[in-house]
Each structure stands twice: as C-alpha cells, then as structure tokens.
C-alpha cells in the first residue's frame, strides 16, 4: 500500500514539476536561463533551485539586443560617412586642414571595423541559439522578429533618406556649376588658342569637342554606350583634378599667347603680370616667333586632355535645362519633409496623451523636468512649421528661385539654389531630432510596487516546486512513522496440532496418536538492532531534508530581494540613460548644424575656415550618441529580463497553449502591500532552528520538532486539493 501511495505522490509531484518546467523553458528561450528543475524519476527533493541574484541577457533578448546594436552602429556609420563627405568638400575648398579630415576618416575606419566584428558575433550567437536552445541545425535559415525593439529606432528612417537625397542634390548643383565654369573657360581657351600660329581650325574643333565631352561628363552622370543606365556618381577627386588641370592649361595657353604678342603690346591677360610680359618679350627677341619646347608640351597636354574619354560619346549640355531639372528635384523633397513633420506631430501628440500616466510615477522634480521637455519640443516643432527658417519659408524661397531662374543667369540661380539646399538640409536635420526626442520619452518600463515580504508570501503560495518540497518533507516524516512501527514489541500466540492414523488405514485417526502444542512468543524492542538503525537513518534523513528546505526558503527570499533591487536599479538606470541620450542627441544636432553653417572669417584677407576641433567634436558626439543608445537599450532589456525572472520566481507566470507568456500586471492586496520588510520569513519554522542532539542507544532522551507544513493532501490524484495544515510531532 505504501508503494502505491508513493507512486501517486510522485506522479502528482512530476505533474507540478512539468508545469513549472514550461515556465523555465520559456525563460530559457527568452533570456537564456532555465532557472527551475524538471520532473524527476524518484520524486521531488527539498533542495530547490532559485534565482542566485546574478543574471544577464541571453536567448532571444540577447539576439535582438545585438541586432539593435548593429542597427545603431550602421546609423552611426552612415552619419559619419555623410559627415566625411562634407569635411572632404571643405578640405577641397581650403576651409579645413588635412589633420581634421584624416582624424575623422580614422574614426570612420574604426567604426567600420567594429561593425564587421559585431555582425560576425551576431552570426555566431544566432548559430548557438539555433543549436543549443532551439535544437535546430545551424545551417537552417531563420528570421528573428525584432518588433519588440521597434521603439528604439529613434531617428526616423525617412530622415536619412531625405538628407541623402538633399546631399545628392547639392552634388548635382556643384557639378552643374562646374559645367558652367568649364563652358566659360572653354570660350576663353578658344579665344586664346585662335591667336596661336599654326593652330588649325581642325585642331581647335577637336580640342573644343574634347572639352565638351568633359562638360557632359560632369553634367548628368556618366552614360557609357555599353551601360544600361547612368552611373550615379563620379570620382569627385578625379573630376576636381581634371578641372584644376584644365585651369592650368588655360593659364599656359594665355601665357603662350602673351609671348607671341608684338613688342609694346600691353593688352595682356589678367593672369600675366607686367614682369611676365617683360620676360616674354625678351624670350621673343632671342628665339624669334617660334614656340619653345615648354609651349609645345603645354599644347600637347591640352590636345591630349580627354584622350581617356575618346571612346565615350557625350552630347552637349544645356545648362538652363539642367537647372530646371534640379529645381524640380528640389521641389520633390518638400513632400517627404512635410510627411516627416506630420510624423513628428503624431508622435508628440501621442506623448502628450500619455503624459498623465507618465507623471503618475514621478516625483515633483521629475514632473517639472518632463513638462519642460514637452514644452521645448512643442516650441521647436512650431518654429519649424511657421518660423523664420521653417518648412513653409523653404517652400516660399524655392518658388521665388524658380520664378527668377528665367530672368537671371544660370550662375546666380545655382548659387541661390545651393544656399536653399543648405538651409533646407538644416531644417531637415533639426526636424529629424524631434521624433527622436519624443520617442525617447515614450520608452518606459512598468513600475513593480512589491515589498520583499509580500513577494516572499506570493512565492510560497504559488511556487509549484515548493509545494513539491513540502510534500517531500512530509514523505520523510511518513518514513519515520513507518520505521517507528518496526520498533514496537511483538507478542505472538502460537499453536500446533499433530493428529496421526492407526496402523495402515489412512482414514483411521486416533486421539492417542495426536499432539497439541500451544505457545507464547514475545519479541522485545531491545533485540531490534537492524530496525533501530533504520529508524535512526530516517530521523537523520528527515533532519537533512528539513534543513535543505529551510535553506531553499532562504535562497528563494534572497533571490526575490535581489530581483526587486535589480528592478529598481534598472528603472533608475533607464532614466539616467534617457537623460544621457537626450544630451547626446542635442550635442550631435548642434555639431551637425555647425558643420553645415557657413565658415566664419578668421581675419581680413585671410579667407574662411571652420573650427580646428570641429572634426574631433563631431566624432566624439557621434560616438557618444551610439554609446548612449546602446546603454539605454541594455537598461530596458535588463529590466524586461528581471520582470521575466520575477514572474517565474513568484510562480505566477501564465503561459498560453503554445507556451508563450501572457503578461498580466501584478494584482496585490493593499493590506498586504503595507507589510514590513522586517517580517520573519521563517516564522513557521521557528521551532526548527534549535541544535540537533545525539540520541542515546536506549532511546531514553527525546526531542520534539514542531513545524507547519502546507500540503495538498488527497487520497486521489487531483490538480486542485484543499490545503491542510498539519502539525507533526516527532518523538
């Protein structure tokens, strides 16, 4: 009968263990931590597993954390490359030095290398997740759902696309400006070359055709005959070198023309001073009117100027038509910016609706700071909508440029359009940081108002493994009772009757041949050595199990206290990192706007330049923004993982049929929430804290241990039974 009872109790314990294992399996998939014991073949134990107080982020949350960190690094690298192009343009125009440019380029290389390392680490983590947690082969392709971290995409993706389009538009304006400049230079070259002796019209026509090809190359992208479409970009450094070389050749031709002028002719070009004219006259007097070797080399270089473009056919360029196309492209940028403005308005309106709920868990100082942030963001958005440098003013200015383009020169229109693109890019940069600031305030975590004593009470009421632990402790007590029965005295009355037959007749029973025996057997406890040793062993097992159970309770309480402290810590860290990200956003915005602003003049006649520390400040601000975003992400995910552990440790994690967590808020009774943290967690075990004493061989000394055990008792297996409190006395 005892074996049947134990089999029933083991089955019930394993049912509970399996139910708890499902909770642990979910946390293993989610955060890479099982945290519970599964079903056991020989029943449950009183040594139970609880949270140790230390836990990181693994599993699914670890994967999406790495994916979001990669996305943050990619955004930073995209911003750095955009900034690098701007610094390169400033360097090409002598507005900054090579130190600033190289310093920032080095940061771009470092970010690129770090991104490659992150991507490689993510692939390894994904393979480990498939093989170690999901039980899948590593080559099986899977897609990780990253929607949980959608709110951490602070800067809208649309903003990057708009800014990139504006940068491309600025480059196209620059190319067209170079085309117009080259056309003017070509006219000057034609006038200068016509004065050279022996310069045939065929050579001049060939030379002009080659220059026209270069102009077409710079105008609207490369279009080789074999290509299916235009090449979007040209090597700018190569183009600028060709332009500089063309300018140098123009100067050479003008010098040649000056040398061929008759003595006394003072109609020199602007690039040749009077000293050079005198030297030219001396050279003409000594060498006659023949060209020198240097002049021939200059002409040969001019004629070979576009030899590497000979196989490519280009058409002439209509600069005004290209200007019209660029204005149309500029007008196309208005709608995406207005769409992003609507997005910012929607995000801000959502935050204003949630402001009452956000302020509910704040103190007075935090409420004032939060309201100041709302007011500041609203003011900035209104200024971008209707202010002096706003989207509306940008649209008006562009319409004015379009009206004046027909009546003024292409050069002036391009200059106005370039200034408009620069101003509108600043508006877009400022606008992109408004949704980022609003989304930053929308990242929140639920507050867990739970005292240590109440958490411990909830865990003891709901933890299935502690139910099994209490049942296992009762089993140890039942073993004592069974062993104690073997120590009782045994009095037996015996009888024996032997009746024989007479002679050889098997049916002839006679009384004289019979024998009757009666006896009494008494087995005293003093002679039960094996049973007494077995009884001692059950007592020792019970004391060991009791201590293990007390230690398990203490470990549970320690883990719960650590979890509640971690939740509070992660919540405070989230607020700290929110402020750090806000500062990093403001720094990055200011640095970008300073880079896009016109350089300040450093002195009379000394030109303009940017701050010598501009590249360093840009790199620091962008890296600070990346680091702050990653720290904010880590704080939020750590809080989420801590809440998962808390629900598991309290035993209140609810799962659906597919094993997914049904996240319900903690509903606590107000009268229990006010309990003091000083409540003795071992109140029900107060009589078990005494020191064990040795029993004598005769069993003369006794010890009583009284404790409360909450047990689901039922002669039949059932999922919900009435809990009873048993008081067990051991002698």
């Amino acid at each position: 009968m005892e074996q049947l009872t134990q089999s029933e109790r083991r089955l019930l314990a394993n049912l509970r263990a399996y139910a708890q294992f499902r909770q642990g399996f979910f946390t293993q998939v989610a955060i890479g931590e099982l945290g519970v014991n599964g079903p056991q073949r020989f029943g449950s134990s009183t040594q139970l597993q609880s949270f140790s107080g230390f836990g990181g982020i693994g599993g699914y949350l670890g994967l999406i954390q790495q994916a979001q960190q990669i996305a943050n690094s990619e955004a930073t690298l995209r911003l750095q490359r955009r900034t690098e192009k701007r610094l390169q343009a400033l360097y090409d125009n002598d507005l900054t030095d090579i130190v600033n440019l190289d310093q920032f380029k080095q940061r771009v290389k470092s970010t690129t290398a770090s991104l490659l390392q992150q991507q490689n680490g993510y692939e390894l983590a994904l393979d480990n997740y498939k093989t170690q947690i999901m039980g899948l082969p590593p080559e099986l392709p899977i897609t990780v759902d990253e929607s949980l971290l959608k709110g951490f995409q602070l800067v809208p993706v649309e903003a990057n696309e708009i800014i990139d389009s504006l940068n491309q538009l600025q480059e196209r304006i620059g190319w067209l400006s170079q085309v117009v400049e080259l056309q003017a230079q070509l006219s000057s070259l034609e006038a200068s070359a016509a004065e050279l002796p022996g310069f045939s019209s065929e050579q001049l026509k060939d030379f002009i055709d080659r220059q026209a090809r270069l102009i077409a190359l710079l105008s609207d992208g490369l279009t080789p005959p074999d290509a299916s479409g235009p090449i979007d970009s040209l090597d700018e450094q190569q183009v600028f070198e060709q332009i500089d070389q063309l300018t140098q050749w123009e100067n050479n031709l003008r010098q040649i023309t000056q040398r061929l002028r008759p003595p006394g002719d003072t109609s020199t070009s602007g690039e040749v001073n009077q000293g050079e004219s005198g030297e030219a006259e001396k050279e003409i007097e000594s060498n006659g009117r023949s060209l020198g070797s240097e002049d021939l080399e200059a002409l040969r270089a001019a004629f070979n100027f576009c030899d590497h473009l000979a196989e490519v056919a280009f058409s002439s360029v209509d600069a005004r038509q290209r200007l019209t196309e660029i204005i149309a492209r500029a007008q196309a940028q208005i709608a995406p910016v207005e769409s992003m403005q609507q997005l910012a308005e929607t995000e801000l309106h959502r935050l204003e609706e949630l402001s009452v709920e956000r302020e509910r868990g704040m103190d007075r100082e935090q409420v004032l700071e939060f309201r100041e942030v709302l007011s500041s963001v609203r003011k900035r958005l209104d200024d971008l909508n209707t202010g002096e440098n706003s989207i509306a003013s940008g649209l008006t200015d562009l319409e004015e440029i379009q009206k004046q383009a027909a009546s003024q020169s292409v050069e002036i229109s391009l200059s106005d359009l370039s200034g408009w693109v620069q101003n509108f890019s600043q508006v877009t940069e400022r606008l992109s940081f408004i949704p980022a600031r609003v989304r930053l305030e929308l990242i929140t975590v639920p507050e867990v108002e739970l005292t240590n004593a109440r958490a411990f009470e909830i865990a003891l009421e709901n933890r299935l493994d502690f139910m099994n632990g209490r049942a296992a402790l009762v089993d140890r007590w039942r073993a004592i009772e069974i062993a104690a029965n073997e120590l009782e005295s045994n009095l037996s009355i015996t009888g024996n009757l032997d009746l024989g037959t007479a002679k050889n007749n098997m049916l002839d029973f006679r009384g004289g041949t019979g024998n009757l025996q009666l006896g009494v057997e008494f087995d005293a406890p003093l002679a039960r050595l094996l049973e007494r040793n077995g009884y001692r062993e059950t007592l020792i097992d019970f004391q060991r199990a009791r201590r293990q159970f007390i230690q398990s309770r203490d470990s549970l309480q320690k883990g719960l206290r650590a979890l509640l402290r971690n939740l509070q810590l992660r919540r405070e860290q989230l607020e700290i990192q929110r402020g750090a990200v806000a500062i990093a956003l403001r720094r990055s915005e200011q640095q970008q706007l300073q880079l896009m602003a016109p350089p300040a003049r450093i002195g009379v006649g000394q030109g303009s330049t940017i701050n010598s520390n501009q590249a360093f400040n840009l790199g620091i601000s962008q890296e600070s923004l990346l680091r702050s975003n990653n720290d904010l992400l880590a704080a939020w995910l750590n809080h989420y993982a801590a809440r998962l552990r808390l629900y598991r440790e309290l035993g209140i994690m609810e799962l659906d049929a597919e094993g997914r967590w049904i996240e319900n808020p903690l509903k606590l009774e107000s009268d229990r929430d006010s309990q003091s943290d000083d409540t003795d967690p071992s109140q029900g075990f107060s009589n078990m804290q005494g020191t064990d004493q040795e029993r004598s061989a005769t069993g003369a000394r006794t010890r009583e241990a009284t404790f409360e055990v909450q047990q689901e008792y039922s002669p039949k297996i059932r999922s919900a039974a009435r809990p009873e409190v048993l008081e067990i006395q051991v002698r």
Side-chain angles (χ1 to χ4, degrees):
M1 188 65 182
E2 177 62 21
Q3 292 181 357
L4 178 60
T5 301
Q6 288 297 326
S7 298
E8 292 176 346
R9 293 173 67 84
R10 280 196 296 268
L11 177 59
L12 178 60
N14 283 331
L15 288 175
R16 290 172 179 160
Y18 178 72
Q20 189 183 30
F21 176 78
R22 294 181 71 241
Q23 300 175 358
F25 182 74
F26 176 81
T27 57
Q28 185 180 22
V29 172
I31 61 177
E33 177 185 301
L34 184 61
V36 298
N37 293 322
Q40 299 177 6
R41 181 177 181 182
F42 298 103
S44 58
S45 171
T46 56
Q47 188 173 5
L48 307 175
Q49 184 176 356
S50 300
F51 178 60
S52 62
F54 301 95
I57 302 177
Y60 169 72
L61 291 187
L63 284 178
I64 62 176
Q65 180 185 21
Q66 293 185 41
Q68 185 60 41
Q69 288 175 348
I70 291 175
N72 293 340
S73 297
E74 289 175 345
T76 301
L77 182 60
R78 184 165 51 248
L79 179 60
Q80 286 181 340
R81 286 176 174 170
R82 192 162 62 230
T83 305
E84 181 185 4
K85 288 184 177 181
R86 293 175 181 172
L87 288 174
Q88 182 68 51
L90 292 172
Y91 173 74
D92 293 336
N93 290 274
D94 297 329
L95 296 177
T96 186
D97 55 12
I98 191 63
V99 176
N100 268 337
L101 181 60
D102 287 345
Q103 187 179 48
F104 196 84
K105 283 185 175 181
Q106 188 174 10
R107 291 184 180 275
V108 175
K109 298 297 184 183
S110 177
T111 304
T112 305
S114 177
L115 177 60
L116 292 175
Q117 186 175 2
Q118 287 179 327
Q119 292 172 342
N120 182 66
Y122 175 76
E123 293 297 331
L124 178 60
L126 186 61
D127 289 343
N128 290 335
Y129 184 78
K130 288 187 288 187
T131 56
Q132 299 177 7
I133 295 181
M134 303 300 295
L136 301 174
E139 70 274 8
L140 183 67
I142 63 174
T143 302
V144 180
D145 184 8
E146 303 175 11
S147 59
L148 183 64
L149 302 181
K150 185 179 180 180
F152 286 88
Q153 181 64 43
L154 300 182
V155 178
V157 180
E158 299 86 353
N160 295 322
E161 297 176 354
I162 296 172
I163 294 174
D164 291 340
S165 298
L166 288 173
N167 290 336
Q168 294 176 4
L169 184 62
Q170 189 71 278
E171 292 177 359
R172 189 171 292 274
I173 293 174
W175 289 348
L176 186 56
S177 299
Q178 295 293 337
V179 168
V180 175
E181 180 182 354
L182 283 174
Q183 287 176 339
Q185 290 181 1
L186 186 59
S187 299
S188 177
L189 282 172
E190 182 178 359
S192 300
E195 301 178 8
L196 294 176
F199 196 89
S200 64
S201 59
E202 290 78 10
Q203 292 175 326
L204 178 61
K205 183 178 182 300
D206 180 68
F207 180 76
I208 293 175
D209 289 342
R210 293 177 185 273
Q211 307 312 310
R213 294 174 185 175
L214 176 61
I215 293 172
L217 174 65
L218 295 173
S219 63
D220 196 22
L222 293 173
T223 311
D226 297 337
S228 58
I231 299 177
D232 294 334
S233 62
L234 178 67
D235 188 351
E236 298 179 17
Q237 185 65 30
Q238 181 182 1
V239 171
F240 291 140
E241 290 177 357
Q242 293 174 352
I243 294 173
D244 293 339
Q245 190 177 11
L246 176 60
T247 303
Q248 181 64 35
W249 289 335
E250 178 187 6
N251 293 335
N252 291 339
L253 286 175
R254 289 182 178 179
Q255 291 178 8
I256 295 171
T257 304
Q258 177 64 29
R259 293 171 184 175
L260 295 177
R261 289 185 183 276
D265 188 353
T266 59
S267 59
T268 59
S269 301
E271 288 77 2
V272 182
N273 55 31
Q274 189 172 357
E276 291 177 344
S277 299
E279 293 179 359
E281 291 175 359
K282 294 179 181 179
E283 182 177 354
I284 291 173
E285 291 178 357
S286 61
N287 299 327
R289 293 184 176 271
S290 61
L291 296 177
S293 59
E294 295 181 358
D295 300 332
L296 292 176
E297 289 296 331
L299 280 178
R300 186 177 296 108
F303 293 146
N304 295 330
F305 180 61
C306 294
D307 281 347
H308 62 285
L309 301 175
E311 293 83 8
V312 184
F314 297 99
S315 60
S316 300
V317 177
D318 187 348
R320 191 164 295 277
Q321 180 183 357
R322 301 300 184 187
L323 175 63
T324 304
E325 295 175 357
I326 291 178
I327 293 177
R329 288 176 179 265
Q331 291 175 337
Q333 304 302 320
I334 301 294
V337 175
E338 291 178 343
S339 176
M340 188 169 62
Q341 183 269 337
Q342 292 294 330
L343 174 64
E345 188 69 38
T346 302
E347 297 282 356
L348 182 57
H349 182 67
R350 177 186 170 195
L351 180 60
E352 290 172 344
E353 290 180 345
L354 297 175
S355 59
V356 177
E357 183 179 351
R358 282 289 314 274
E359 294 176 0
R360 190 173 302 164
M362 299 180 181
D363 55 24
R364 179 176 178 79
E365 182 179 355
Q366 291 174 338
V367 169
L368 294 177
E369 183 179 355
F370 177 70
R371 291 178 179 177
E372 183 180 356
V373 170
L374 279 181
S375 176
S376 175
V377 174
R378 169 57 65 183
K379 182 179 179 181
R380 291 182 59 190
L381 184 57
D382 293 340
D383 181 64
L384 287 174
N385 289 336
T386 58
E388 180 179 356
N389 191 13
S390 62
I391 302 175
S393 64
L395 179 59
T396 303
D397 294 342
L398 184 60
E399 291 176 351
E400 185 67 21
I401 292 174
Q402 186 179 15
K403 291 179 181 179
Q404 296 179 358
S407 59
Q408 64 186 8
S409 64
V410 177
E411 293 85 346
I412 297 177
S413 297
L414 287 174
S415 178
D416 295 342
L417 192 58
S418 178
W420 179 88
V421 171
Q422 185 175 3
N423 293 334
F424 201 69
S425 296
Q426 293 181 1
V427 173
T428 307
E429 288 275 3
R430 294 170 55 195
L431 181 61
S432 65
F433 283 98
I434 292 180
R437 190 66 182 88
V438 173
R439 291 175 180 180
L440 180 62
E441 294 296 332
L442 290 174
I443 298 175
T444 59
V445 292
E447 185 176 3
V448 179
E449 298 179 355
L450 186 63
T451 62
N452 294 331
R454 179 57 180 149
F456 187 54
E457 182 180 355
I458 293 175
L460 290 180
E461 290 176 356
N462 295 277
R463 285 282 295 255
L464 297 176
D465 55 345
F466 272 79
M467 295 180 186
N468 287 340
R470 288 188 290 268
L473 190 58
V474 172
D475 289 340
R476 301 300 191 277
W477 167 77
R478 295 178 68 255
I480 294 176
E481 293 295 322
I482 295 173
N485 291 333
E486 300 296 330
L487 295 177
E488 295 179 356
S489 300
N490 187 16
L491 178 63
S492 302
I493 299 175
T494 62
N496 184 21
L497 174 62
D498 183 13
L499 184 62
T501 59
K503 297 183 181 180
N504 293 328
N505 188 355
M506 57 181 303
L507 299 178
D508 186 10
F509 293 98
R510 302 287 179 92
T513 61
N515 184 16
L516 176 63
Q517 296 179 352
L518 293 176
V520 177
E521 296 180 359
F522 177 72
D523 191 0
L526 297 178
R528 293 182 175 273
L529 179 60
L530 296 179
E531 289 79 359
R532 190 162 59 247
N533 290 339
Y535 178 72
R536 286 176 176 273
E537 185 177 356
T538 56
L539 289 176
I540 295 173
D541 289 342
F542 172 76
Q543 296 299 330
R544 182 186 297 111
R546 185 193 64 171
R547 293 190 183 95
Q548 288 177 351
F549 190 65
I550 294 174
Q551 188 176 16
S552 298
R553 285 168 55 99
D554 293 340
S555 298
L556 174 63
Q557 189 190 27
K558 182 191 72 173
L560 291 174
R561 291 169 65 89
L563 274 175
L564 293 176
R565 288 195 300 267
N566 285 342
L567 282 170
Q568 183 63 25
L569 172 64
R570 302 305 181 185
R571 183 179 179 85
E572 294 177 359
Q573 285 181 342
L574 182 68
E575 295 302 323
I576 294 173
Q577 295 304 324
R578 190 198 310 277
V581 173
I583 295 173
L585 284 172
R586 185 165 60 249
R587 287 180 58 191
S588 180
E589 178 185 8
Q590 293 300 322
Q591 292 296 330
Q592 290 297 323
L593 293 179
Q594 289 179 11
L595 181 63
M596 298 175 66
R601 291 189 176 275
I602 60 176
V604 179
Q606 297 181 4
S608 303
T609 183
I610 65 170
N611 188 356
S612 59
N613 295 325
Q614 185 74 40
F616 177 78
N617 294 335
L618 279 167
I620 291 296
S621 64
Q622 292 169 359
E623 291 176 358
S624 176
L625 180 59
L626 173 62
R627 184 169 56 254
S628 299
N629 282 333
N630 290 339
D631 291 342
L632 176 71
L633 174 66
W636 190 87
L637 287 176
N638 275 296
H639 189 279
Y640 190 88
R643 281 197 301 121
L644 273 176
R645 294 187 181 98
L646 179 63
Y647 275 74
R648 184 195 64 199
E649 293 299 309
L650 292 177
I652 59 175
M653 178 179 288
E654 297 183 15
L655 304 175
D656 59 14
E658 297 180 356
R660 292 175 297 190
W661 181 30
I662 304 174
E663 185 176 359
N664 296 321
L666 289 172
K667 297 180 180 180
L668 308 175
E669 300 177 8
S670 58
D671 57 340
R672 292 185 175 182
D673 290 344
S674 60
Q675 290 183 355
S676 173
D677 290 349
D678 296 331
T679 304
D680 184 7
S682 302
Q683 182 178 1
F685 290 80
S686 59
N687 295 328
M688 298 199 302
Q689 306 302 323
T691 305
D692 292 340
Q693 301 180 2
E694 294 290 340
R695 295 179 179 270
S696 62
T698 60
R701 302 177 61 187
T702 61
R703 184 175 66 85
E704 293 184 358
T706 306
F707 59 96
E708 293 180 357
V709 177
Q710 182 180 0
Q711 177 195 19
E712 291 182 2
Y713 176 79
S714 175
K716 297 181 180 181
I717 300 177
R718 50 190 179 181
S719 58
R722 179 186 175 210
E724 299 180 358
V725 178
L726 305 179
E727 185 173 299
I728 303 173
Q729 190 176 44
V730 180
R731 283 186 172 83

